Amino acid sequence: NAGVTQTPKFRVLKTGQSMTLLCAQDMNHEYMYWYRQDPGMGLRLIHYSVGEGTTAKGEVPDGYNVSRLKKQNFLLGLESAAPSQTSVYFCASSYQGLAGVGEQFFGPGTRLTVL
Amino acid sequence: GQNIDQPTEMTATEGAIVQINCTYQTSGFNGLFWYQQHAGEAPTFLSYNVLDGLEEKGRFSSFLSRSKGYSYLLLKELQMKDSASYLCAAESNTGNQFYFGTGTSLTVIP
């Protein structure tokens, strides 16, 4: 089991460029999440999905779009990158637990710099 | 709104016990998670509390008081490898979302 993988690990973009971050999980989890982590801000939820074909907005969705066409994949798109989107992006997946959503399993992160 | 508070930094001595506190205010609270994150790495799961009381897992224990909106993580017999950031996260039962605190950076000194 690879767990949660993210592609790419590092990326440098120029302002206005677009890119897609790919997250894949092989644990058959229903739930998938995209977070960004900035110094002093903690992890903030961008978008999430509770199942294949569904997506929802989190705390900081502006400037991002997502798609969940297959259960195992969750894509995060930046249509027109801005310097404020320089961050570390983490993908996570989780299962339905007995009392709520189970623990989250995180990918290794993508370090994005927008110049 | 959502508000998760935890101390920014703590320092403790190898072999000692340290308690990291977390207070939360969330709508539709379901449970409280603790994660460990070493520098440059992804967070990893430590513990989950949904009911009031103490959950013990080896050197790590976590406590929850739902009425007080309060949790703590207790680390015993500290080791140098425990130097990391500890994140508390409140699970909301509206939309299956998680709200993270900014993390407590723990430094273990000899």
Side-chain angles (χ1 to χ4, degrees):
Chain A
N1 278 356
V4 181
T5 58
Q6 292 182 231
T7 309
K9 289 185 169 53
F10 302 93
R11 186 73 186 268
V12 178
L13 290 178
K14 294 181 179 178
T15 296
Q17 287 185 317
S18 63
M19 77 164 294
T20 300
L21 283 67
L22 171 63
C23 176
Q25 54 96 2
D26 61 3
M27 295 173 283
N28 201 35
H29 287 169
E30 289 295 327
Y31 305 105
M32 296 189 76
Y33 306 82
W34 275 108
Y35 292 93
R36 59 178 290 173
Q37 188 173 38
D38 304 292
M41 299 292 290
L43 283 162
R44 291 182 293 168
L45 183 64
I46 305 171
H47 286 280
Y48 65 103
S49 169
V50 300
E52 180 179 322
T54 71
T55 62
K57 294 180 180 179
E59 294 178 81
V60 290
D62 293 342
Y64 305 94
N65 56 74
V66 288
S67 64
R68 182 105 182 263
L69 298 179
K70 294 182 179 180
K71 186 177 184 179
Q72 63 268 34
N73 295 337
F74 196 28
L75 278 64
L76 178 70
L78 286 73
E79 290 186 348
S80 179
S84 61
Q85 294 178 304
T86 293
S87 188
V88 179
Y89 291 86
F90 285 102
C91 175
S93 71
S94 61
Y95 54 92
Q96 180 62 51
L98 293 176
V101 180
E103 69 197 76
Q104 292 184 310
F105 294 80
F106 285 83
T110 295
R111 282 150 184 78
L112 175 66
T113 301
V114 183
L115 302 175
Chain B
Q2 324 298 335
N3 193 32
I4 317 292
D5 285 320
Q6 50 181 135
T8 303
E9 295 179 336
M10 298 183 72
T11 302
T13 306
E14 189 176 14
I17 300 173
V18 70
Q19 178 174 311
I20 303 174
N21 297 324
C22 172
T23 58
Y24 62 89
Q25 287 179 308
T26 63
S27 57
F29 174 79
N30 202 46
L32 197 291
F33 288 81
W34 283 96
Y35 289 84
Q36 180 190 60
Q37 185 177 26
H38 285 100
E41 298 182 8
T44 54
F45 171 76
L46 287 177
S47 69
Y48 175 55
N49 293 72
V50 62
L51 300 175
D52 285 357
L54 190 68
E55 293 279 343
E56 297 188 74
K57 289 175 70 174
R59 294 190 300 115
F60 292 65
S61 303
S62 57
F63 172 84
L64 177 67
S65 169
R66 297 176 70 104
S67 62
K68 296 182 179 178
Y70 168 70
S71 173
Y72 68 72
L73 180 69
L74 195 69
L75 291 76
K76 304 175 187 175
E77 300 169 12
L78 280 172
Q79 302 175 9
M80 300 300 290
K81 67 179 182 179
D82 297 329
S83 291
S85 185
Y86 292 85
L87 316 176
C88 70
E91 178 194 356
S92 168
N93 61 16
T94 55
N96 305 115
Q97 295 191 50
F98 293 85
Y99 298 93
F100 281 81
T102 55
T104 299
S105 178
L106 174 66
T107 301
V108 180
I109 57 175

